[in-house]
Amino acid sequence: MSKTVPVLIASIVGCLMIVAYFSPPLLPARQMAEDWFTIVATIAIFLGGANLCLHHLKKISDREAGWGFSAVTLISFAITIAVGLLKIGVVPESEQQIKLAWSGPFQQEGSGFWWIYQYLFSPIVSTMFALLAFYVASAAFRAFRAKNLEAILLLITALIVLVGQTRDREITSLFLPPPAEGTPPYVPIADLTEFIRKTFVTAGQRAIMIGIALGVVATSLRILLGLDRSYLGGDE
Amino acid sequence: MDFHSRSAGEKEFITMSDKSSGKPSMDSFSFSVSHQWFGTGLMRLTMTTVGVLVFLLALPTLTFAEEIADSTKPIVWFDTGKTAFALLTFAICATVIICTELARRGKPFYVRPIAGLLAMEEAVGRATEMGKPILFVPGIEDIKEIDTVAGLMVLSSVAKMAAEYDTPLEVPTSRALVMTAAREAVQAAALAAGRPDYYNEDRIHYITDEQFGYVASVCGWMYREKPAACFFLGKFFAESLFLAEAGNAVGAIQIAGTAETTQLPFFVAACDYTLLGEELFAASAYLSGEPAQLGMLKGQDFGKLGAIVLVILGCMLATWDSISPRGKNAEGQNLPRRSQWITDTVLKGG
Amino acid sequence: MTSPLLDKLNTLDRRWIFLSMALAVLSPILLQIGSDETPSPPTIKLFDEIERLPEGSRILMAMDFDPTSAAELYPMALSFTRHCCLRHHKLYFVTIWPTGKPMIESTIKAVIGADFGSGDRPYQYGVDYVNLGYLAGEAVAISQISSDIRKARPQDARGTSLDELPIMSGVISVKEMDLIVNASAGFPGGKEWVQYAATPQKVPIAVGCTGVQSTQLFPYYPDQLLGLVTGIRGAIEYETMLAAKYPNPYANRSKRPAFLRGGAQRWAHRLMIGLIVLGNGIHLANRYRRTTHP
């Protein structure tokens, strides 16, 4: 029963989403299902928050490897929640709001939460994202090796696209006769990059997308018909 | 690995191509099923379809009866503009369901081997030998994403293998609902492996919804614990390369899979095996070895064949347009291209 | 055959690669070395469309990015907003990313607040532009506002009822928009706007996306996407066109953040090419060593 009900819900709502796409009177029902998901996912925040606290408290109490990070996580979590919920530093924006307690948006400029976002969260995530440049360089150095024919093709294509993506591509036009007056110089590698992108990349992407779409259909059917329940923990 | 069906109530007798060795042949799957399955399978299918149809017909009548009654306009039950798309959807679904039923009846189908899936047992075995944990990341999106569901389906198989070998499996999640589903999947897998004590819910935990907070935590864990095998199966974005490079730095065997086409190149560059797009969705069916699920893969292949035929027809039509342009109408305007008629009229609703 | 250099390169610590990348990115930033770009057709198309639309056209500005991807998308968001303000279009800011709201506020402050908040025809909140804020529900939210904006968001980001705002009169859904301009960092983003709003409601859409996303969005161009501005390169292209059309003050370097970031990108690309060549040099040397001295 504990698995049959979720499978039935998945089947009914899944079929509703499909049929509502073709049947306009069912659109409100589809919207209702979408609203329900948003509600359930929002409630799950509490579940996640509770799990986060329990997990890290246990790590601290067991003095597991990296328990100091757990302490930092919990302290940061508590401060952010307190600052956001108590709306520290938030001032009412309008005459009407002055009469109301706790009025004004929690992300208001100058508020505590805004400060955390602007001066802590924002630089931290930007730094994390920037690390990608280092990882890309390291992965490219290691992976782009001319080991076989396919790898050589991949390597040549990568080099063409890399050069074609920046203004360095104009180096290739230096070897060509000067263009007629008033016309821009012909840049062969730029055209080649565009050709690769429009022809090979787009064709490959479309092929993968068609495969993915069919895979999604088959997986969805497996779920809707209850054939695969492994994501729910299998059969009873 | 035993490829018996998981359905406890229904008796399935699957014959694998390499039955004698007790292991499935990984070169190809051919299977047959005793006919007694067909009755229950078809019944389940029919019951589900009828139930859903009754519900769908009853729903608007009951829930929106007031709105519909108030409406002065006639109710349009079907958007005719989407006819072609509806037919296409129906055809693909029908093909997949027919193949499922044929597989259940015992028709043998060939399913091509997928290197990444063949390597899963090797990866788990390696972690066992080294006495190190396994990391499984089911993507960073919520359970409503089909990629996440596909990742969780594979988690079930990996957890079963890990439970059999008693190798610790760490599943950090970035969504609370995914954590709940992952716990269910791992617990059931441990039970299926006959090792209920293997399940430790502390190993399947929620970190944060924030993309890079999650990455920082998982990568930190990887550098500290040095897992021997890493599985990245689900929906990934910019974090894909962080995770894969961290796994590479600690020397783990890495198997990744995503339907997010922008991240595939990163996984290919940094991981040992990558499941490309549709292979992720095929993974759980392939690993389950159930005829019904493998039949669906075959249905998917027929869908692909249909897509190839349509692509060729489209190319031919476009070529015809190029070599033989259409004339002008009575007002002297150029007539639209033939291929344009297909995109503007037939495929309009999709 | 022994080659200490080759042995050293074979076991090259990746931290040397990290250091060289840091230098390649840092030097152009510190030395203020920028990079210009020749506009490409997908960028030109968006620019021309904003130019072509009559003054006062309604443009939905979907800012679906966060500080993570701001390095690539914020300069783009500034250019799009500046261009729309120069043409005096009505702007409807919205985001489906929870961390996107401060990005909208920052864009409004940097463009409308700094350049268009005063003068002969100042941009007025509620009349010329509105901030609808964050819409929860990802793709579902797009689907909702494409059918009814008020159902998805009855109030703006300041808590004012949409019915009280003059800019919202006559606006029911995305259908009333003349153009959707989306700065997209990933999911949900450009693809979802095309699938759930622009294509079903037949509203033209142009997307500015991160470089890595471009391959995913190119299949939609030019049929379902009017224009596509990709990464920092696209942002530089847009800035170049804006500077050419409105040189005062947009030819000024201080108004061209993408131009300055282009220099760092150019040097990082050069380093990548160098590393790939070096990697292959090592690979070939190893092969030679193996074949000659098995």
Side-chain angles (χ1 to χ4, degrees):
Chain A
M1 190 68 183
S2 65
K3 298 290 181 294
T4 311
V5 173
V7 167
L8 261 176
I9 294 172
S11 299
I12 290 168
V13 177
C15 292
L16 170 71
M17 301 301 256
I18 298 167
V19 178
Y21 184 79
F22 302 104
S23 181
L26 286 175
L27 280 174
R30 178 183 163 159
Q31 197 145 351
M32 192 167 72
E34 290 169 346
D35 289 346
W36 268 104
F37 175 79
T38 310
I39 292 165
V40 173
T42 310
I43 292 169
I45 288 173
F46 295 104
L47 179 71
N51 179 262
L52 181 96
C53 294
L54 287 174
H55 180 75
H56 288 286
L57 282 172
K58 192 170 180 297
K59 262 183 136 177
I60 295 168
S61 83
D62 293 352
R63 292 285 193 277
E64 274 183 39
W67 67 269
F69 298 120
S70 295
V72 173
T73 306
L74 283 182
I75 294 166
S76 314
F77 182 63
I79 291 174
T80 312
I81 285 205
V83 169
L85 284 180
L86 300 173
K87 290 191 173 180
I88 292 170
V90 174
V91 287
E93 282 181 342
S94 62
E95 285 284 315
Q96 189 197 358
Q97 284 182 346
I98 290 170
K99 296 167 201 157
L100 305 165
W102 302 78
S103 57
F106 72 102
Q107 281 181 315
Q108 189 185 65
E109 196 174 331
S111 69
F113 197 85
W114 176 85
W115 195 91
I116 290 173
Y117 182 92
Q118 200 73 13
Y119 299 114
L120 286 171
F121 177 79
S122 192
I124 289 170
V125 293
S126 301
T127 308
M128 283 292 292
F129 191 68
L131 289 177
L132 209 52
F134 301 97
Y135 287 131
V136 166
S138 151
F141 176 69
R142 215 180 44 246
F144 283 112
R145 302 269 165 110
K147 290 172 192 162
N148 49 41
L149 182 66
E150 289 94 336
I152 293 169
L153 287 174
L154 185 71
L155 177 70
I156 295 168
T157 315
L159 288 174
I160 292 170
V161 175
L162 271 172
V163 176
Q165 278 298 94
T166 63
R167 218 165 175 199
D168 287 338
R169 62 185 172 274
E170 285 171 11
I171 294 167
T172 52
S173 59
L174 295 176
F175 306 103
L176 298 171
E181 212 165 293
T183 57
Y186 173 59
V187 187
I189 209 156
D191 285 5
L192 201 54
T193 307
E194 270 315 292
F195 175 71
I196 289 168
R197 201 148 69 162
K198 277 187 185 164
T199 316
F200 299 116
V201 177
T202 307
Q205 284 276 338
R206 282 184 175 154
I208 293 175
M209 276 159 77
I210 290 169
I212 289 171
L214 290 165
V216 168
V217 170
T219 309
S220 306
L221 279 173
R222 265 166 36 214
I223 294 164
L224 298 187
L225 299 177
L227 286 171
D228 194 333
R229 304 174 182 203
S230 52
Y231 69 103
L232 291 169
D235 288 317
E236 286 160 271
Chain B
M1 196 175 7
D2 188 7
F3 278 76
H4 290 298
S5 162
R6 288 187 306 272
S7 300
E10 298 146 348
K11 298 281 180 200
E12 294 175 65
F13 302 97
I14 306 161
T15 314
M16 302 304 300
S17 59
D18 192 11
K19 204 178 170 186
S20 56
S21 65
K23 282 187 174 180
S25 162
M26 287 305 186
D27 297 331
S28 68
F29 279 118
S30 60
F31 40 83
S32 58
V33 182
S34 75
H35 281 235
Q36 69 188 79
W37 218 104
F38 172 58
T40 51
L42 191 65
M43 197 179 288
R44 185 199 277 187
L45 192 71
T46 318
M47 291 286 279
T48 313
T49 316
V50 170
V52 167
L53 282 177
V54 167
F55 175 82
L56 290 177
L57 287 172
L59 189 81
T61 323
L62 297 174
T63 318
F64 305 103
E66 224 170 278
E67 288 173 34
I68 291 167
D70 286 348
S71 174
T72 46
K73 288 179 194 168
I75 302 161
V76 182
W77 285 100
F78 183 74
D79 184 349
T80 47
K82 292 173 178 169
T83 309
F85 189 59
L87 287 173
L88 201 64
T89 310
F90 180 76
I92 293 170
C93 292
T95 313
V96 172
I97 291 169
I98 287 168
C99 285
T100 310
E101 275 311 310
L102 285 174
R104 278 177 170 170
R105 287 179 185 208
K107 185 169 171 54
F109 284 127
Y110 171 78
V111 179
R112 74 176 167 88
I114 300 170
L117 298 177
L118 306 185
M120 280 186 179
E121 194 154 6
E122 180 199 330
V124 175
R126 187 166 173 250
T128 312
E129 278 170 17
M130 294 173 77
K132 286 182 175 177
I134 300 164
L135 173 74
F136 192 103
V137 179
I140 62 154
E141 275 299 322
D142 220 330
I143 192 105
K144 74 174 190 298
E145 293 300 323
I146 195 83
D147 311 46
T148 312
V149 178
L152 290 173
M153 287 169 169
V154 181
L155 169 66
S156 187
S157 304
V158 173
K160 196 176 167 211
M161 285 183 229
E164 279 163 2
Y165 293 120
D166 199 20
T167 309
L169 174 68
E170 186 84 7
V171 189
T173 67
S174 81
R175 304 287 165 141
L177 288 179
V178 178
M179 175 193 74
T180 316
R183 282 181 171 174
E184 292 279 338
V186 174
Q187 191 174 21
L191 274 171
R195 301 288 305 272
D197 55 318
Y198 171 80
Y199 173 67
N200 175 4
E201 68 170 20
D202 289 342
R203 286 204 167 270
I204 305 147
H205 56 94
Y206 167 80
I207 294 177
T208 169
D209 279 33
E210 170 49 41
Q211 183 184 26
F212 287 107
Y214 177 75
V215 170
S217 174
V218 176
C219 289
W221 182 86
M222 284 162 92
Y223 285 119
R224 283 193 299 275
E225 303 288 328
K226 300 202 169 24
C230 297
F231 294 88
F232 308 117
L233 298 152
K235 208 171 180 81
F236 291 92
F237 299 100
E239 69 287 348
S240 61
L241 193 61
F242 286 90
L243 297 169
E245 275 291 292
N248 191 284
V250 299
I253 181 167
Q254 304 196 93
I255 299 171
T258 185
E260 201 56 37
T261 48
T262 52
Q263 303 308 318
L264 284 172
F266 298 126
F267 277 143
V268 170
C271 293
D272 299 286
Y273 299 95
T274 307
L275 303 178
L276 302 169
E278 60 182 303
E279 290 175 352
L280 170 68
F281 301 111
S284 97
Y286 192 97
L287 290 169
S288 76
E290 282 179 33
Q293 295 202 38
L294 290 166
M296 284 208 159
L297 294 187
K298 208 67 219 167
Q300 203 177 313
D301 285 348
F302 281 117
K304 224 182 291 176
L305 188 71
I308 292 168
V309 170
L310 288 175
V311 167
I312 292 170
L313 285 176
C315 287
M316 284 166 69
L317 199 63
T319 312
W320 185 20
D321 274 332
S322 304
I323 56 175
S324 156
R326 299 193 71 193
K328 294 181 188 304
N329 62 13
E331 284 96 46
Q333 293 165 324
N334 285 333
L335 283 166
R337 291 157 67 97
R338 296 167 190 96
S339 51
Q340 199 180 329
W341 179 80
I342 300 276
T343 49
D344 292 357
T345 318
V346 182
L347 301 175
K348 193 178 74 177
Chain C
M1 188 182 77
T2 55
S3 167
L5 178 67
L6 187 59
D7 292 334
K8 213 168 191 177
L9 285 172
N10 271 327
T11 54
L12 183 73
D13 191 327
R14 63 183 192 151
R15 279 173 294 186
W16 286 109
I17 297 171
F18 293 168
L19 182 67
S20 48
M21 181 52 87
L23 289 172
V25 174
L26 206 62
S27 312
I29 294 172
L30 294 176
L31 299 171
Q32 296 272 300
I33 300 168
S35 179
D36 230 326
E37 280 293 346
T38 317
S40 61
T43 312
I44 296 171
K45 277 199 170 178
L46 170 61
F47 189 90
D48 289 350
E49 180 66 12
I50 294 179
E51 280 290 310
R52 189 196 63 79
L53 284 173
E55 195 176 284
S57 297
R58 293 173 177 139
I59 300 184
L60 186 80
M61 307 289 282
M63 301 287 172
D64 303 326
F65 64 100
D66 57 4
T68 315
S69 43
E72 266 188 291
L73 296 174
Y74 186 59
M76 219 181 262
L78 292 179
S79 296
F80 295 157
T81 313
R82 275 187 186 128
H83 194 195
C84 291
C85 291
L86 286 163
R87 300 285 305 138
H88 224 282
H89 294 313
K90 287 187 195 303
L91 302 177
Y92 301 77
F93 291 93
V94 72
T95 180
I96 44 171
W97 282 45
T99 41
K101 202 177 154 222
M103 294 292 112
I104 294 179
E105 281 159 6
S106 183
T107 309
I108 290 174
K109 200 176 160 188
V111 178
I112 299 176
D115 298 346
F116 298 93
S118 53
D120 300 338
R121 294 175 65 191
Y123 254 71
Q124 288 180 347
Y125 186 82
V127 179
D128 300 300
Y129 73 101
V130 63
N131 180 2
L132 298 172
Y134 163 62
L135 297 180
E138 300 182 341
V140 176
I142 299 177
S143 171
Q144 280 177 340
I145 71 160
S146 73
S147 55
D148 191 345
I149 291 177
R150 282 167 184 81
K151 224 169 189 176
R153 181 93 201 175
Q155 296 170 329
D156 70 352
R158 296 180 181 183
T160 315
S161 166
L162 296 189
D163 294 323
E164 289 174 26
L165 299 168
I167 192 172
M168 292 305 294
S169 73
V171 177
I172 295 159
S173 68
V174 164
K175 213 171 185 173
E176 278 70 50
M177 297 293 149
D178 296 299
L179 177 68
I180 300 170
V181 177
N182 176 222
S184 162
F187 174 85
K191 201 171 143 189
E192 285 67 36
W193 279 104
V194 171
Q195 289 176 344
Y196 297 100
T199 305
Q201 300 296 340
K202 295 181 183 64
V203 180
I205 180 170
V207 177
C209 65
T210 54
V212 75
Q213 253 194 300
S214 64
T215 50
Q216 199 181 37
L217 288 167
F218 252 100
Y220 295 104
Y221 173 80
D223 296 333
Q224 285 160 285
L225 274 180
L226 174 97
L228 186 59
V229 184
T230 56
I232 273 294
R233 183 187 164 183
I236 302 170
E237 289 173 9
Y238 210 92
E239 278 183 359
T240 307
M241 283 189 286
L242 209 58
K245 181 92 184 176
Y246 307 96
N248 189 23
Y250 298 111
N252 193 324
R253 273 192 172 201
S254 64
K255 298 277 182 193
R256 301 193 60 190
F259 170 80
L260 290 169
R261 286 164 206 210
Q265 195 197 38
R266 193 172 179 177
W267 279 96
H269 274 219
R270 283 174 179 167
L271 176 71
M272 291 272 290
I273 294 164
L275 284 171
I276 293 172
V277 172
L278 176 69
N280 280 282
I282 299 169
H283 174 69
L284 292 175
N286 281 329
R287 261 176 80 164
Y288 176 75
R289 187 153 75 168
R290 275 198 299 273
T291 47
T292 53
H293 300 83

